Amino acid sequence: YYKALLNKKAIGFFVTGSEFLYSFGVAIAYRKYDILKSFWAEIKKIMIPNFSVMLYTKNERAVEFCKKQGMVEAQKNDKITALVNI
């Protein structure tokens, strides 16, 4: 578990395994381009290069966010979308 801090204030989190991003989130008030870019850069520093994440397919916003950060769809069905960082 990692806390995302901005000016010593917790604004988000992410939970990882060695090759898997289990969960992540940023408080709505801090979902700004520069903050999100920095948040993702910190995740990438900690994870192995080709880490993966599985999200509910209906969570389109999170799926699209991961794609914008360079992840690609590895598998998808009506319930789950699996993405891999490249």
Side-chain angles (χ1 to χ4, degrees), residues 10-29:
I11 64 162
F13 71 96
F14 56 100
V15 181
T16 68
S18 61
E19 300 176 11
F20 197 79
L21 179 61
Y22 289 102
S23 185
F24 64 93
V26 175
I28 293 171

Side-chain angles (χ1 to χ4, degrees), residues 5-85:
L5 301 173
L6 180 65
N7 299 325
K8 298 184 182 179
K9 181 176 180 172
I11 64 162
F13 71 96
F14 56 100
V15 181
T16 68
S18 61
E19 300 176 11
F20 197 79
L21 179 61
Y22 289 102
S23 185
F24 64 93
V26 175
I28 293 171
Y30 297 96
R31 293 181 187 169
K32 310 287 188 252
Y33 177 82
D34 291 342
I35 294 170
L36 292 173
K37 191 161 184 76
S38 176
F39 174 74
W40 197 258
E42 290 302 313
I43 291 174
K44 288 178 77 172
K45 280 183 194 175
I46 290 167
M47 300 297 293
I48 65 165
N50 295 322
F51 69 92
S52 60
V53 64
M54 294 179 83
L55 300 166
Y56 288 111
T57 299
K58 68 182 179 181
N59 190 352
E60 295 173 4
R61 186 154 99 171
V63 171
E64 290 305 311
F65 173 75
C66 288
K67 287 179 179 179
K68 286 180 183 177
Q69 304 311 311
M71 297 190 87
V72 295
E73 248 178 51
Q75 293 181 347
K76 181 179 180 177
N77 63 38
D78 61 333
K79 296 205 184 261
I80 301 293
T81 300
L83 299 116
V84 177
N85 187 61

